[in-house]
Amino acid sequence: MDCLDCARTVERGVQQLDSIRACSVDLGAATLRVRYQGAPDDAAVVARVHALGYGVEQPDRAVAGPRGGSVASFMAFLLSRRATGGPLLVGGICLLGGLLLGWAGMPTSAAAAEMIALLVAGLPVALAGLRALRISRRVTINMLMTIAAVGAVVIGETAEAATVVVLFALGEALEGFTMQRSRDALRSLMRLAPAEATVLVPCMDCQGHLGKDGYTGGPCPWCGTHPEQMPVQDVQVGQIVLVKPGERVPLDGAISSGASMINQQHITGESLPVERRAGDAVYAGSINGDGALEITVSSPASESLLSRIATLVTQAQTRRAPIEHFVDRFATIYTPAVVVLALLVAAVPPLLFGQPFWDSAAEHGWLYRALALLVVACPCALVISTPVSIVSALSVASRNGVLIKGGAALEALRRVRVVAFDKTGTLTSGQLRVTEVRCADNCCLDEAACAHCDDVLALAAAVEQRSAHPLAMAVVQEAVDRHLAGRYGAEAVVALPGRGVQGQIGGRTVTIGSHAFFDDEHPHEAGLCTQVARAEASGQTTLLVCNCDDGGVQGFIALADTPRATSRQAVAALRDAGIARTAILTGDNAAVGSAVAEAVGADEVRAALLPADKLQAVHELHARYGPVAMVGDGVNDTPSLAAATVGIAMGAAGSAQALETADIALMSDDLAQLSWLLRLSQRTARVLRQNITLSLALKLAFVVLAMGGWATLWAAVLADTGAALLVTLNGMRLLREHRQ
């Protein structure tokens, strides 16, 4: 399919089958979706598509077209389309030969060459127009060209008729070529992951060791594993795959052995390789660096992050922007209206005003003017202007690690005036970290750390080592980072429900607990109490450490879910991009929310919100300031993501529910992409306005010229083809958009 007119022809023709309840054709993805009334009848659908002059492939067998944008690539594209490309090449050669023969003073031979060009290049156009009229009952662009060409022959303008059909066919082929390139940019997602994986398979029922030490079969304990190639679809969750240096990761999983630099730019948009070690997650399609990795598969091929991306991209192309719907409806009415107008132009002046119907030596007759009007009024440029721009924008966004679920979300994004953020996991990392360690002595209050402070952390880490609580894990991680883990060993560790944890270290009882617990059970200095209260007032959680046998509180540890490194810059960039207000919607208390709001520069914070409260907050922000974008990552964010003008989910850290509900997913969880997204949306809107204005302005200018008798048929088709190419190339400029 070359343009939206082709897509509508297929859609209308298939919809008329008795077995079809609903049918939709997506030009960008080149896909046909049908819903049957009863039992599926794929054969009838395929037969109808073939009858309309188009081909059908199963999605998993679809192959990419020729790569690149060179003349050689275009020629290869034409040769791959034998039904239309071959006749176009032959017709173009004959037309060029006819022009040369005419200039050489051989009019008879020139006329014969031009007639051959007309018949060869025009036959596919005429057949397509007649098929659409007979089956789909649509007057298409092909039919307009056929009428114009036949009319030109009738009035003796064979050369112009041949020029019309060759230039029109060339324009259609160029539109199809550029659309194919846009499709390939999206289909390339599916080619990122390899088709096979190297699986480390254990030796089963080893004949060489049966009977040894009681071994009767199953995995051999002596032989270990051996590599075996198998399709990724056959690899089971829990199996271990080997990825050699330079290879692509075949499936999602966690590294069980090895370390390497991983290039995951095509998945997350990160420009530089990232270091990954044992325990880290890796994604299918990522490129391994210089280290061999053994990866434990965490999800089947059909559920990998890459497959989810491909699914989201496929869904995105079916969600059309409002401007696309407008152009589609406009073109549906416009094309038959042009035929009626051309008939009136040909008939009314001669019948009512005595104007010439046929051409004369002095001027073009009104039949010729009507034919020129038919040619120039074709809506090619108009109908191609929106899908090529939208597909280009969606493609460049996916290359930069952002999935936009269709043109509607892209168009809505430019109208957003308020951006509301969830806090935990969105503006913050979602993981608690130690922000401060202080001993009970006053010697270190103005210093970053001291030996006494290190001792406080080492004591706490020894006891918390036995706990799986998030606070305990953060304390232990901080001790590891400071190389203090293992200084002490704890025994007899017991939890104090609702208060803290207690253990024995070198015969001493060490207790870690909350400030309220220590106020009741372990008296401490007023100065330390002031320090703890200050930390809690700023939104941090505190743990006090007590050596109970010595009778003293050793100090305290403050923890917080710290903002992401890019959060403050992202909020500032949004303001520069035209966002009027930013807000934080969080379920945490007001102190925590205010601390994060101050750290990132948000305009307001609404704290202690349940999911229903977040939903209400989104409605209130919309009523007060205008369209709202909601950025979140959790299940509790799904109501507000759905209610917002545009819902944006964190792709890597986000829950499956949030990803499903949101309109946009940031696959690298990089908030800095938000301002770039806004600018991409705004630029796409500008390109769409430019394309529509250019299309309509050129049409209007040449309609005036055609009506005045100043436009020739070949100039009209050249203007129509030129306009289509201009808007196509202008739309494809979006493919060059890159994040700074």
Side-chain angles (χ1 to χ4, degrees):
M1 299 181 294
D2 297 323
C3 66
L4 200 60
D5 199 59
C6 301
R8 294 297 158 260
T9 297
V10 175
E11 189 172 84
R12 183 76 65 85
V14 174
Q15 183 68 62
Q16 291 172 349
L17 293 173
D18 294 336
S19 60
I20 300 301
R21 177 187 300 175
C23 168
S24 64
V25 175
D26 181 46
L27 175 66
T31 54
L32 166 66
R33 293 179 177 83
V34 295
R35 180 176 297 173
Y36 292 101
Q37 296 277 12
D41 190 0
D42 290 354
V45 173
V46 171
R48 174 55 59 90
V49 174
H50 282 300
L52 290 166
Y54 299 92
V56 178
E57 287 179 323
Q58 292 299 323
D60 58 353
R61 297 178 185 172
V63 295
R67 297 294 188 89
S70 64
V71 174
S73 299
F74 178 61
M75 295 300 292
F77 173 79
L78 287 181
L79 293 174
S80 70
R81 299 171 59 152
R82 291 185 295 273
T84 55
L88 170 59
L89 289 173
V90 174
I93 293 171
C94 291
L95 177 62
L96 181 61
L99 294 175
L100 294 175
L101 289 170
W103 290 334
M106 304 171 65
T108 304
S109 299
E114 290 161 357
M115 182 58 71
I116 293 173
L118 173 62
L119 293 175
V120 172
L123 185 60
V125 176
L127 290 177
L130 291 171
R131 280 192 294 256
L133 184 64
R134 178 175 59 85
I135 299 174
S136 299
R137 300 183 181 90
R138 294 186 71 242
V139 177
T140 63
I141 296 170
N142 291 291
M143 181 54 66
L144 296 186
M145 288 298 116
T146 302
I147 294 171
V150 171
V153 172
V154 169
I155 62 177
E157 298 287 353
T158 305
E160 291 202 23
T163 304
V164 164
V165 295
V166 170
L167 287 178
F168 171 72
L170 177 63
E172 290 283 285
L174 285 169
E175 289 177 17
F177 178 61
T178 53
M179 184 58 69
Q180 182 68 54
R181 290 180 62 199
S182 296
R183 291 181 191 127
D184 287 348
L186 295 175
R187 284 176 176 168
S188 62
L189 286 171
M190 295 306 297
R191 296 192 291 268
L192 287 177
E196 292 189 334
T198 303
V199 182
L200 298 180
V201 180
C203 178
M204 300 293 292
D205 301 330
C206 179
Q207 298 297 317
H209 294 100
L210 282 175
K212 181 179 179 180
D213 294 340
Y215 171 61
T216 59
C220 179
W222 295 280
C223 291
T225 60
H226 63 276
E228 181 178 313
Q229 291 290 122
M230 64 175 63
V232 291
Q233 293 84 357
D234 296 339
V235 181
Q236 303 297 312
V237 173
Q239 287 189 293
I240 297 176
V241 297
L242 174 65
V243 183
K244 299 175 183 178
E247 292 184 342
R248 287 189 180 271
V249 177
L251 295 148
D252 289 1
I255 298 175
S256 55
S257 177
S260 184
M261 300 297 291
I262 300 292
N263 184 341
Q264 50 190 31
Q265 180 178 6
H266 296 293
I267 309 297
T268 65
E270 295 168 292
S271 58
L272 297 175
V274 293
E275 185 177 6
R276 290 291 182 262
R277 299 181 176 276
D280 291 338
V282 291
Y283 305 116
S286 302
I287 303 173
N288 185 20
D290 55 3
L293 299 175
E294 293 183 8
I295 299 170
T296 302
V297 177
S298 61
S299 60
S302 60
E303 298 176 13
S304 68
L305 179 61
L306 189 62
S307 294
R308 286 162 57 194
I309 291 174
T311 300
L312 290 173
V313 170
T314 302
Q315 293 171 349
Q317 299 203 43
T318 65
R319 302 181 183 182
R320 301 169 63 203
I323 194 169
E324 290 184 275
H325 288 290
F326 164 74
V327 170
D328 189 12
R329 291 193 300 269
F330 179 81
T332 301
I333 300 170
Y334 175 82
T335 304
V338 165
V339 176
V340 173
L341 178 61
L343 289 173
L344 293 175
V345 167
V348 171
L351 291 176
L352 299 184
F353 302 102
Q355 295 294 311
F357 182 73
W358 303 101
D359 285 0
S360 66
E363 61 178 341
H364 287 302
W366 284 90
L367 174 59
Y368 185 95
R369 301 183 194 196
L371 296 176
L373 177 64
L374 274 182
V375 172
V376 78
C378 283
C380 295
L382 185 63
V383 297
I384 200 66
S385 63
T386 51
V388 73
S389 302
I390 295 294
V391 169
S392 295
L394 295 180
S395 178
V396 75
S398 68
R399 283 209 312 263
N400 284 276
V402 180
L403 295 183
I404 305 175
K405 298 181 182 178
L410 184 66
E411 184 176 341
L413 191 61
R414 70 181 178 85
R415 301 195 305 271
V416 166
R417 304 299 301 151
V418 183
V419 177
F421 295 92
D422 170 55
K423 181 186 72 68
T424 305
T426 302
L427 284 172
T428 68
S429 62
Q431 296 180 342
L432 288 169
R433 294 182 180 179
V434 173
T435 56
E436 188 177 6
V437 180
R438 293 297 180 193
C439 65
D441 300 326
N442 290 329
C443 65
C444 63
L445 291 180
D446 297 323
E447 300 176 11
C450 70
H452 296 294
C453 294
D454 287 347
D455 202 56
V456 170
L457 181 61
L459 286 169
V463 176
E464 298 283 23
Q465 187 80 40
R466 306 293 183 88
S467 174
H469 192 281
L471 291 172
M473 296 171 66
V475 169
V476 172
Q477 185 59 51
E478 182 70 12
V480 171
D481 293 343
R482 294 196 188 186
H483 306 290
L484 299 174
R487 175 181 290 188
Y488 300 109
E491 299 175 342
V493 176
V494 294
L496 306 175
R499 297 180 293 175
V501 63
Q502 192 174 78
Q504 299 293 318
I505 297 179
R508 298 175 295 165
T509 302
V510 176
T511 304
I512 298 101
S514 66
H515 190 197
F517 170 50
F518 270 58
D519 278 342
D520 294 336
E521 302 290 338
H522 302 284
H524 44 279
E525 296 291 334
L528 182 66
C529 191
T530 301
Q531 292 290 322
V532 172
R534 174 189 55 78
E536 291 180 339
S538 66
Q540 300 179 82
T541 300
T542 58
L543 297 174
L544 278 71
V545 181
C546 173
N547 185 342
C548 301
D549 293 339
D550 291 343
V553 175
Q554 304 295 302
F556 75 92
I557 301 170
L559 305 96
D561 179 12
T562 56
R564 295 177 185 270
T566 58
S567 293
R568 186 171 185 84
Q569 295 90 331
V571 171
L574 285 173
R575 196 171 287 111
D576 294 339
I579 294 299
R581 196 164 186 82
T582 54
I584 297 177
L585 311 181
T586 178
D588 269 340
N589 60 62
V592 174
S594 298
V596 173
E598 183 178 355
V600 303
D603 295 313
E604 69 173 274
V605 59
R606 303 191 183 195
L609 301 181
L610 296 173
D613 301 323
K614 286 188 178 183
L615 176 64
Q616 181 62 31
V618 168
H619 288 310
E620 291 175 1
L621 289 170
H622 190 284
R624 183 176 300 179
Y625 302 107
V628 178
M630 175 67 193
V631 187
D633 72 310
V635 176
N636 63 327
D637 297 321
T638 53
S640 49
L641 287 172
T645 309
V646 179
I648 303 174
M650 308 297 278
S655 67
Q657 292 86 348
L659 285 171
E660 181 67 26
T661 304
D663 304 299
I664 297 172
L666 307 179
M667 300 313 298
S668 63
D669 292 348
D670 184 2
L671 295 176
Q673 291 175 315
L674 292 174
S675 58
W676 176 78
L677 262 178
L678 282 171
R679 291 188 173 91
L680 176 64
S681 175
Q682 293 159 1
R683 182 165 186 194
T684 302
R686 287 197 300 270
V687 169
L688 286 172
R689 286 195 297 269
Q690 292 166 3
N691 282 350
I692 292 174
T693 301
L694 179 63
S695 302
L696 293 178
L698 282 174
K699 296 297 178 191
L700 181 60
F702 268 84
V703 164
V704 172
L705 292 174
M707 297 281 285
W710 303 303
T712 60
L713 285 176
W714 67 265
V717 75
L718 190 62
D720 177 68
T721 302
L725 288 177
L726 282 176
V727 298
T728 299
L729 294 173
N730 191 39
M732 292 190 71
R733 285 193 303 122
L734 292 168
L735 287 171
R736 299 199 301 269
E737 285 285 312
H738 295 287
R739 286 184 57 209
Q740 297 297 318

